[in-house]
Amino acid sequence: MSIDQKFISAIKEGNVVAFPTETVYGLGADATNPEAIAKVFEIKGRPSDNPLIVHISDRNQVYSLAKEVSDYTKMLMDHFWPGPLTFVLKKKNAVLDAVTAGLNTVAIRMPDHELALELISKTGPLVAPSANKSGTPSPTKANHVKADFGSSVLVLDGGSTEVGIESTVLDVTGKYPVILRPGSIGNKEIKTVCKTVVLTDQIGSSTPKSPGQKYSHYKPQAEVRWLKSEDDFDDASSLFLMINMESDSVFKNIIHFEGNFNRLARELYDRFRQADSQDFKRVIIEPFDERYENPVIPALLNRIEKAIGS
Ligand code: TXA
Ligand code: MG
């Protein structure tokens, strides 16, 4: 497979290009070009204190961005890259402040997607936040990017993304790794590989280490809430996401996931967007908890709780 030259040229000329990764689509720009990075913040409407992830295609690129890569970090990179795990590392001076929002750390990830890797191998490292306008759910299809940005952004179409929710963000600047944002790679998987304690940042603390966690993301226009009772089904203006429960409702607006949490992750943001485009007033989700032991569950609970708001 080979990417059309226009995408590569656009990045080299300092423009932004949306591209697929295995998690969600990213809004890519040259990580060494301050004007291109400024465009990302402007187009997305992103607060300037929220740093960006640098996406790489080659392990050696880590060493031009970060200093002090610990042994446990190397083990995790060996095991999980390319993949949905982002590392927060102490940055080298050459990394632009615009990328890190002035922090002394930089977030780096090697995405597991053929098109993303090919693009980055031809352009060099790319900053890429999720390719949605701030405040809308992250895009898992090229059409979602087009719905948010129209024709103002070039989109490299790679179909639907496989994972569907954003990468796990892991702070590896200290003795033990700390999960700053849960994703499909969970605490247990990380621990099995690096064989150290794995901590989780207190979500909801007043000064989160991952600035993005303080913003309300992932929200459709429709209200999102948990299913409370069977009576909720007497409502044609809600879209229902059922994990296991069968229902004999007369309405057609019920999606059954049959206990498949990976499918729920893959479809969650698309269902949020579907609710808005079909004018549903609510998205009602059957409650579930971590007893199901799928690593994606804490990440799903995090995204759904944020969509519900508090
Ligand atoms: O799966 C993903 O990570 C997607 C795809 C496109 O790669 N990208 C993504 O980017 O979700 P974004 O910008 O929407 O979220 C990046 C998260 C934010 O919560 C941000 O605050 C955090 O990573 N982050 C970035 N740099 C950081 C740093 N130096 N220290 C702590 N958190 C950082
Ligand atoms: Mg985002």
Side-chain angles (χ1 to χ4, degrees):
M1 207 182 321
S2 196
I3 293 176
D4 193 312
Q5 182 61 35
K6 72 178 177 190
F7 297 106
I8 296 149
S9 305
I11 295 282
K12 289 189 171 162
E13 286 158 15
N15 291 311
V16 300
V17 169
F19 65 94
T21 78
E22 80 282 34
T23 58
V24 301
Y25 277 73
L27 194 59
D30 179 350
T32 62
N33 181 335
E35 285 89 34
I37 297 165
K39 277 184 200 164
V40 170
F41 280 94
E42 188 193 317
I43 295 176
K44 216 181 128 68
R46 183 178 180 104
S48 59
D49 66 350
N50 195 0
L52 303 173
I53 297 171
V54 180
H55 294 66
I56 61 171
S57 58
D58 179 332
R59 264 287 280 282
N60 290 325
Q61 289 164 329
V62 168
Y63 299 96
S64 58
L65 300 162
K67 46 187 185 188
E68 297 174 35
V69 184
S70 67
D71 288 341
Y72 79 74
T73 305
K74 286 179 191 153
M75 281 157 71
L76 292 170
M77 287 176 178
D78 286 342
H79 189 87
F80 290 109
W81 271 3
L85 184 57
T86 296
F87 295 91
V88 172
L89 293 143
K90 295 210 173 103
K91 81 173 187 85
K92 282 202 165 153
N93 287 339
V95 180
L96 298 172
D97 276 342
V99 173
T100 64
L103 297 174
N104 60 5
T105 54
V106 60
I108 308 176
R109 151 168 137 82
M110 190 191 292
D112 187 13
H113 195 291
E114 210 182 346
L115 292 177
L117 291 172
E118 188 190 336
L119 180 67
I120 299 163
S121 72
K122 291 178 174 159
T123 59
L126 297 177
V127 292
S130 51
N132 53 296
K133 287 232 159 120
S134 279
T136 68
S138 293
T140 56
K141 295 178 175 173
N143 277 343
H144 297 162
V145 183
K146 288 176 188 154
D148 277 16
F149 299 106
S151 56
S152 67
V153 170
L154 264 181
V155 186
L156 176 57
D157 191 341
S160 294
T161 61
E162 182 60 31
V163 178
I165 56 170
E166 305 81 351
S167 62
T168 306
V169 177
L170 192 69
D171 181 341
V172 292
T173 59
K175 189 169 175 198
Y176 303 118
V178 185
I179 296 179
L180 303 182
R181 178 177 72 180
S184 60
I185 296 176
N187 190 305
K188 255 194 197 161
E189 290 66 42
I190 295 170
K191 203 168 169 175
T192 305
V193 173
C194 68
K195 302 191 171 58
T196 72
V197 176
V198 179
L199 307 169
T200 300
D201 193 38
Q202 287 299 328
I203 291 169
S205 69
S206 54
T207 51
K209 288 213 195 80
S210 186
Q213 289 290 317
K214 75 177 181 231
Y215 296 106
S216 104
H217 292 295
Y218 324 118
K219 254 191 177 23
Q221 295 296 310
E223 175 202 5
V224 179
R225 68 168 173 81
W226 296 114
L227 182 76
K228 290 183 196 132
S229 79
E230 295 265 339
D231 296 342
D232 287 338
F233 289 115
D234 302 332
D235 177 8
S237 60
S238 295
L239 179 67
F240 294 90
L241 307 185
M242 291 299 107
I243 310 306
N244 284 311
M245 195 191 283
E246 298 285 333
S247 73
D248 46 12
S249 165
V250 292
F251 301 120
K252 298 256 181 290
N253 47 335
I254 302 183
I255 320 291
H256 290 285
F257 288 91
E258 291 157 352
N260 186 339
F261 289 98
N262 293 333
R263 187 183 143 212
L264 179 63
R266 198 151 55 232
E267 292 184 19
L268 184 71
Y269 294 145
D270 188 41
R271 297 296 179 187
F272 282 177
R273 285 177 180 262
Q274 176 195 353
D276 287 345
S277 64
Q278 297 181 357
D279 282 330
F280 285 109
K281 290 202 178 64
R282 273 169 298 279
V283 179
I284 298 186
I285 306 174
E286 182 191 339
F288 55 91
D289 59 36
E290 304 193 16
R291 269 174 306 177
Y292 289 98
E293 289 206 9
N294 181 322
V296 84
I297 288 178
L300 276 168
L301 292 170
N302 168 266
R303 304 311 191 270
I304 293 169
E305 291 293 350
K306 276 174 181 276
I308 291 172
S310 48

